[in-house]
Amino acid sequence: DAKTTQPPSMDCAEGRAANLPCNHSTISGNEYVYWYRQIHSQGPQYIIHGLKNNETNEMASLIITEDRKSSTLILPHATLRDTAVYYCIVRVATGQAGTALIFGKGTTLSVSS
Amino acid sequence: GAVVSQHPSWVICKSGTSVKIECRSLDFQATTMFWYRQFPKQSLMLMATSNEGSKATYEQGVEKDKFLINHASLTLSTLTVTSAHPEDSSFYICSARGTGALFNEQFFGPGTRLTVL
């Protein structure tokens, strides 16, 4: 069963912020929220992950609501190279040897000039 | 760091032949490796999980005798598609879980495009 819900597609203008939502209303207390993206015909690329605090790295920011039932991935200044399928995944991060990332359908982000 | 490579990047074979795909963790040791399959316009589907030195665990619906997985070392796992048929044509992606500080991270290879004629 899918643990996350994402819109199937989104559009964004180049240079603008892209805000990708994810609903994970059944998340458990020990599950992290991971974001990966897949550019066409390539392997998935790690973006960011978090537990309950907002996180930021050189690629993006992750905003997690206080009840942890949803989150938003923010690409602050989208470029054409950010066009990809973005996957939001919840997973226990510790003490689960062998637990694989399970991918849903993701959101196809199209960045246009 | 934390690079995963796959070889070959693409392969075309005749129906009935076997194809081997290699997955290597280049700069870290991977006690666990995962194999995924992705059909066009679909998401990644987990096929199997392999731990170094033990038998792979296959997901429901994946034939273990058709998709042979060997994880003989901490840096190499292989997937052999035996007696390949056109319906096996797909994008195969491996992923490796590190040890120590990398235990909770899963790193992906670039994928292998298999076309069976």
Side-chain angles (χ1 to χ4, degrees):
Chain A
D1 292 341
K3 287 189 170 183
T4 64
T5 304
Q6 298 177 253
S9 64
M10 293 184 66
D11 295 319
C12 180
E14 190 177 22
R16 303 298 294 268
N19 298 296
L20 290 84
C22 179
N23 182 287
H24 33 79
S25 58
T26 60
I27 192 170
S28 300
N30 60 349
E31 288 183 314
Y32 284 66
V33 179
Y34 283 79
W35 283 84
Y36 281 76
R37 73 180 182 183
Q38 185 180 26
I39 296 171
H40 183 62
S41 294
Q42 297 183 22
Q45 177 189 22
Y46 167 81
I47 301 174
I48 199 167
H49 77 282
L51 182 62
K52 55 182 179 181
N53 296 323
N54 298 336
E55 302 287 345
T56 296
N57 62 20
E58 64 279 3
M59 289 184 67
S61 294
L62 174 60
I63 308 298
I64 303 174
T65 58
E66 191 169 343
D67 63 8
R68 301 210 322 124
K69 292 185 177 181
S70 66
S71 61
T72 301
L73 178 74
I74 301 173
L75 306 179
H77 304 287
T79 70
L80 297 178
R81 289 177 295 180
D82 291 322
T83 293
V85 180
Y86 287 77
Y87 297 99
C88 169
I89 303 168
V90 297
R91 194 198 71 173
V92 176
T94 60
Q96 292 286 318
T99 303
L101 289 166
I102 304 300
F103 289 80
K105 296 182 178 180
T107 295
T108 298
L109 176 67
S110 299
V111 181
S112 57
S113 57
Chain B
V3 177
V4 176
S5 70
Q6 284 184 239
H7 179 81
S9 56
W10 59 271
V11 56
I12 301 173
C13 70
K14 293 182 179 179
S15 184
T17 61
S18 295
V19 175
K20 179 184 287 188
I21 302 170
E22 293 186 348
C23 175
R24 294 181 184 273
S25 55
L26 298 185
D27 49 4
F28 68 100
Q29 293 184 330
T31 54
T32 304
M33 287 187 173
F34 308 95
W35 286 94
Y36 294 81
R37 179 169 57 181
Q38 185 176 34
F39 293 109
K41 298 190 183 300
Q42 295 187 21
S43 186
L44 286 78
M45 296 296 295
L46 179 67
M47 298 176 67
T49 300
S50 72
N51 292 298
E52 184 264 339
S54 61
K55 290 183 178 180
T57 302
Y58 291 81
E59 295 299 302
Q60 190 173 9
V62 178
E63 300 175 58
K64 62 180 182 180
D65 294 330
K66 181 170 184 63
F67 298 99
L68 302 179
I69 293 172
N70 183 281
H71 190 170
S73 79
L74 288 173
T75 59
L76 173 65
S77 175
T78 60
L79 169 67
T80 301
V81 183
T82 62
S83 187
H85 291 285
E87 57 266 30
D88 298 323
S89 297
S90 188
F91 192 50
Y92 292 86
I93 303 169
C94 76
S95 179
R97 174 194 294 276
T99 59
L102 299 179
F103 177 73
N104 291 319
E105 306 307 324
Q106 200 171 318
F107 305 97
F108 289 84
T112 296
R113 176 80 55 193
L114 170 63
T115 301
V116 185
L117 302 177

